[in-house]
């Protein structure tokens, strides 16, 4: 056997492609760990109150491996209680019954037809040579803007890229294969990573349709890595990769109740990833635990000649971030609360959850510095530097990427605009392509761009995050990641209330979301942020908080949010209070609105 052969060759091994059923031994072992309840324990009362008529499909989905961590799965495979092929079949069955039918979460845009054959090859290799590492035989979903040289397409959710598969693996995909991971499929996303039009609904793509939030199906999962986070949360995969330009890993992680690590720009390669901006794009993991996310991150790091941004950080790339997991990591740590007006106050429910999270950290021994504001936040919000950088770089970076693709309908941003106009019924029926047009028209000059990039970095780095850390001698800053999920609205687009991702996004610094609590059954996350290449510290702190809080809950696939009589379906407040709340939000939006860059 040749374990390092590409999967398109492995699939020619006369492998049987019939479904793999979990053995009785496996079922009994994992049933004992997971509990004897149905897949979605506790759905009955609340779902019935919400008028659910489709409870049978979730109950029929396999459940014995739900919430299993990478370490637990590896232990079971080492003991012979589980095979990778059985694990893949478990996830494929859940995708079929809960994602593509039943509740129809719609997080997976395409399943890898070679996944079972690759899993069997990894099982043979485990028996003959042992595992390659912690991801050997572990299924991973990739956001559908990450190239794979196999039988799957890479489309960024757009019909304009439907055609031949990419000619080469993205570097991160290659690293996963070399680590023995199984690329299970591609995850849906906000089309073009939410950088096409002003009125988008996060999680919608022309190719994949609308991804739903697995907690409450008529709620938005945020974007643009919507499918990656939702699939992990719903136990459709062990882990997934997403990408972020500003908020697109941490926001969907928060709204779907999972961990998301947005790494330092340059820590992970972007080669073979459909781009927005080389100054801000980065690739990172979604997982149900910090430990699982750390295990994936270590596989992805390293210098890559295909991505020059990875070269200056040589020597700052640990290959094992699990070494920094410390359940006592908060003890003695100095944590600053970024209480700037833009991070708190937009959601009382979020504020209450974060206050509890701060107390959890204090009880775990952390020294809480409150407030520890980012000094330049007013300038960060007011200055259009970020949007100038993104729009200027987008056309150039996208055209360079499209030059690597063959067998697809478009080869430039201009082609993409024309394609959308020619296929308006499929692509433009809900929102337009104003951002595409601004980028194509080159509304900003090179001098505008150079000055904006310098301001963006200075405001967010030396005058921003670094200034806050140094002034207060902090290990990290914390802030709410965002609000509870809003209803899906294809007519008006997203209803963002607030977020804290922009300073780290503009700086190119890392940020980690960890589940912190729930409001009306909807998850809310807390973000840990630090300076460049501070992932070891952030992972230590985030893991310690996770172990102290245990805030993660499995989703229940409720069809809608059961609210008391007399409350508003959007905010969950009384109707009278909602009117005042909406007046405040309108006023605030007029003051703060720079652009719709959040969730890229």
């Amino acid at each position: 056997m040749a374990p390092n052969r590409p999967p398109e060759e492995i699939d020619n091994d006369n492998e049987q492609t019939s479904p793999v059923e979990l053995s009785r031994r496996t079922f009994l072992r994992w049933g004992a760990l997971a509990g004897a309840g149905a897949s979605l324990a506790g759905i009955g009362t609340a779902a019935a109150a919400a008028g659910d008529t489709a409870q049978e499909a979730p109950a029929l989905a396999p459940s014995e491996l739900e919430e299993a961590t990478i370490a637990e799965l590896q232990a079971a495979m080492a003991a012979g209680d589980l095979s990778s092929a059985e694990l893949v079949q478990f996830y494929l069955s859940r995708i079929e019954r809960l994602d593509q039918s039943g509740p129809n979460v719609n997080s997976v845009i395409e399943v890898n037809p070679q996944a079972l054959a690759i899993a069997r090859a990894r099982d043979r290799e485990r028996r003959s040579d042992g595992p390659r590492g912690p991801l050997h035989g572990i299924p991973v979903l990739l956001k559908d803007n990450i190239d794979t040289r196999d039988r799957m397409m890479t489309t960024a959710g757009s019909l304009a890229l439907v055609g031949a598969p990419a000619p080469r693996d993205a570097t991160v995909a290659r690293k996963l294969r070399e680590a023995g991971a199984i690329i299970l499929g591609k995850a849906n996303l906000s089309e073009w990573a939410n950088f096409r039009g002003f009125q988008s609904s996060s999680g919608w793509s022309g190719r994949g349709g609308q991804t739903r939030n697995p907690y409450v199906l008529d709620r938005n999962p945020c974007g643009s890595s919507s499918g990656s986070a939702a699939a992990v949360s719903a136990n459709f995969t062990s882990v997934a990769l997403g990408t972020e330009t500003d908020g697109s890993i941490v926001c969907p992680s928060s709204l779907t109740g999972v961990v998301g690590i947005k790494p330092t720009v340059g820590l992970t390669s972007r080669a073979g990833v459909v781009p927005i901006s080389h100054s801000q794009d980065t690739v990172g993991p979604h997982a149900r635990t910090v430990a699982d996310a750390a295990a994936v991150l270590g596989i992805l790091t390293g210098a890559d000649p295909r991505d020059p941004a990875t070269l200056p950080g040589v020597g700052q790339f640990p290959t094992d971030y699990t070494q920094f997991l410390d359940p006592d990591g908060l003890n003695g740590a100095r944590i600053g609360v970024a209480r700037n007006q833009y991070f708190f106050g937009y959601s009382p429910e979020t504020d209450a959850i974060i206050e509890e999270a701060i107390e959890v950290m204090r009880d775990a021994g952390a020294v809480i510095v409150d407030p520890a504001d980012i000094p330049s936040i007013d300038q960060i919000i007011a200055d259009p530097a970020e949007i100038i950088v993104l729009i200027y770089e987008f056309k150039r970076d996208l055209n360079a990427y499209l030059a690597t693709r063959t067998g697809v309908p478009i080869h430039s941003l201009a082609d993409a605009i024309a394609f959308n106009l020619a296929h308006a019924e499929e692509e433009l029926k809900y929102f337009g392509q104003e951002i595409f047009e601004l980028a194509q028209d080159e509304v900003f000059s090179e001098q505008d761009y150079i000055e904006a990039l310098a301001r963006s970095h200075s405001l967010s780095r030396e005058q921003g995050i670094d200034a806050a850390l140094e002034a207060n001698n902090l290990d990290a800053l914390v802030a709410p990641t965002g609000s509870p999920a809003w209803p899906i609205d294809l007519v008006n687009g997203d209803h963002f209330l607030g977020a804290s991702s922009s300073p780290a996004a503009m700086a190119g610094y890392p940020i980690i979301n960890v589940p912190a609590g729930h409001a009306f059954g909807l998850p809310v996350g807390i973000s840990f942020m630090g300076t460049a290449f501070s992932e070891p510290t952030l992972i230590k702190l985030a893991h310690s908080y996770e172990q102290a809080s245990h805030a993660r809950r499995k989703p229940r696939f409720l069809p809608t949010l059961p609210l008391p009589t007399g409350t508003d379906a959007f905010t969950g407040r009384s109707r009278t209070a909602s009117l005042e709340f909406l007046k405040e939000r309108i006023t605030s939006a007029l003051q703060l609105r720079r652009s719709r860059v959040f969730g890229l």
Side-chain angles (χ1 to χ4, degrees):
M1 149 172 181
N4 287 315
R5 287 179 297 170
E8 61 270 18
E9 295 181 15
I10 290 175
D11 199 40
N12 294 329
D13 272 347
N14 297 316
E15 289 284 351
Q16 298 298 313
T17 58
S18 58
V20 176
E21 296 298 331
L22 290 174
S23 67
R24 177 173 175 77
R25 181 182 183 190
T26 301
F27 178 84
L28 291 174
R29 168 175 166 74
W30 284 98
L33 287 176
S39 170
L40 305 170
I43 191 173
T45 303
D52 180 27
T53 59
Q55 296 180 41
E56 290 187 6
L60 291 174
S63 62
E64 56 275 5
L65 300 179
E66 281 189 305
E67 303 292 292
T69 65
I70 289 175
E72 290 170 338
L73 294 172
Q74 289 294 355
M77 288 191 278
D81 293 327
L82 178 70
S83 70
S84 180
E86 289 173 328
L87 180 59
V88 165
Q89 185 58 54
F90 169 80
Y91 288 132
L92 290 177
S93 296
R94 286 185 62 84
I95 290 169
E96 178 184 358
R97 298 178 192 183
L98 300 178
D99 193 66
Q100 303 302 301
S101 60
N104 194 16
V105 176
N106 202 36
S107 63
V108 180
I109 204 168
E110 185 173 5
V111 168
N112 186 353
Q114 301 166 295
L116 276 174
I118 299 168
R120 292 188 178 98
R122 297 289 81 80
D123 286 334
R124 292 197 304 269
E125 183 183 357
R126 182 186 295 273
R127 292 191 296 269
S128 62
D129 303 326
R132 302 183 189 184
L135 292 192
H136 188 102
I138 299 296
V140 182
L141 280 173
L142 305 185
K143 185 176 178 180
D144 184 38
N145 61 353
I146 299 175
D147 285 349
T148 55
R149 179 179 174 263
D150 50 23
R151 299 183 182 181
M152 294 186 291
M153 293 182 286
T154 303
T155 68
S158 173
L159 298 174
L161 284 178
V162 169
R168 186 177 183 183
D169 272 346
T171 299
V172 291
R174 174 180 59 79
K175 285 177 172 287
L176 288 171
R177 295 194 204 275
E178 291 173 350
I182 297 157
I183 298 178
L184 185 64
K186 297 291 184 74
N188 198 16
L189 70 163
S190 308
E191 184 176 305
W192 293 108
N194 235 358
F195 205 70
R196 196 195 80 187
F198 292 143
Q199 204 166 321
S200 64
S201 170
S202 287
W204 183 89
S205 71
R207 181 186 175 207
Q210 178 68 54
T211 296
R212 298 172 175 85
N213 192 310
Y215 285 84
V216 180
L217 297 168
D218 65 0
R219 295 270 156 169
N220 198 283
C222 199
S224 65
S225 303
S226 315
S228 298
V232 169
S233 184
N235 285 282
F236 299 152
T237 183
S238 302
V239 289
L241 292 193
T243 66
E244 176 162 329
T245 306
D246 187 337
S248 198
I249 288 176
V250 294
C251 182
S253 296
S254 178
L255 269 60
T256 65
V258 298
V259 173
I261 300 180
K262 176 257 181 184
T264 302
V265 171
L267 185 68
T268 58
S269 173
R270 291 85 49 87
V273 178
V274 183
I276 291 177
S277 158
H278 63 265
S279 292
Q280 292 189 197
D281 292 351
T282 187
V283 180
H286 298 274
R288 289 180 291 273
T289 67
V290 175
D292 283 359
V296 175
L297 183 62
I299 300 299
L300 305 179
T301 63
D304 178 15
R306 296 176 63 194
D307 183 357
T310 64
L311 303 180
V314 171
Q316 302 186 73
F317 299 139
T319 58
D320 177 14
Y321 283 91
T322 63
Q323 65 183 298
F324 305 111
L325 299 170
D326 180 1
D328 196 36
L330 282 168
N331 191 19
R334 292 180 59 83
I335 307 295
V337 181
R339 278 205 184 270
N340 309 91
Q341 61 175 312
Y342 309 104
F343 297 164
F344 283 83
Y346 55 80
S347 165
E349 292 79 16
T350 294
D351 289 353
I353 288 168
I354 301 306
E355 296 300 342
E356 291 179 7
I358 292 168
E359 288 306 310
V360 169
M361 289 186 277
R362 184 178 281 116
D363 291 344
V367 177
I368 303 298
V369 180
D370 186 3
D373 291 334
I374 296 174
S376 58
I377 192 65
D378 288 337
Q379 297 97 309
I380 286 173
I381 296 299
D383 196 316
E386 181 183 23
I387 193 62
I388 293 172
V389 170
L390 300 188
I391 288 177
Y392 185 88
E393 291 185 351
F394 178 62
K395 176 180 179 179
R396 292 154 179 80
D397 291 353
L398 180 64
N399 286 349
Y401 167 82
L402 291 174
T404 70
R405 295 293 299 274
T406 58
V408 295
I410 65 169
H411 303 286
S412 67
L413 175 58
D415 290 347
I417 293 170
F419 180 95
N420 290 338
L421 291 173
H423 299 82
E425 181 57 31
E426 295 90 356
E427 284 288 357
L428 302 179
K429 58 183 175 181
Y430 296 123
F431 62 97
Q433 52 182 344
E434 298 90 350
I435 298 174
F436 270 19
E437 292 163 351
L438 287 171
Q440 177 61 27
D441 291 344
E442 300 193 14
V443 293
F444 300 115
S445 68
E446 182 179 12
Q447 188 61 34
D448 291 334
Y449 164 68
I450 292 171
E451 293 174 358
L453 183 61
R455 291 198 313 276
S456 178
H457 284 169
S458 178
L459 288 171
S460 60
R461 293 176 180 176
E462 298 91 345
Q463 301 179 56
I465 292 174
D466 290 335
L469 294 172
E470 292 167 9
N472 298 284
N473 190 26
L474 300 175
D475 295 293
L477 293 167
V478 295
T481 306
S483 69
W486 55 88
I488 292 169
D489 187 348
L490 290 168
V491 176
N492 299 301
D494 289 330
H495 302 290
F496 287 119
L497 297 182
S500 57
S501 61
S502 287
M506 294 164 64
Y509 286 178
I511 184 169
I512 300 179
N513 174 80
V514 182
H518 297 78
F520 302 99
L522 295 165
V524 170
I526 186 169
S527 284
F528 292 78
M529 63 188 87
T531 191
F533 300 107
S534 63
E535 283 84 357
T537 297
L538 298 185
I539 286 170
K540 178 182 72 172
L541 300 173
H543 174 71
S544 181
Y545 169 74
E546 175 190 60
Q547 298 306 299
S549 62
H550 299 287
R552 158 78 182 168
R553 299 179 193 167
K554 289 189 302 182
R556 298 189 297 169
F557 304 91
L558 300 180
T560 192
L561 187 62
L563 293 171
T565 301
T567 57
D568 180 78
F570 171 54
T571 65
R573 299 174 177 82
S574 71
R575 290 193 179 98
T576 301
S578 288
L579 291 175
E580 295 304 316
F581 174 78
L582 290 175
K583 288 179 184 177
E584 293 174 4
R585 292 314 310 151
I586 291 169
T587 301
S588 179
L590 291 172
Q591 292 172 343
L592 303 182
R593 183 167 181 170
R594 299 174 295 157
S595 63
R596 292 179 57 86
V597 299
F598 177 77
L600 308 177

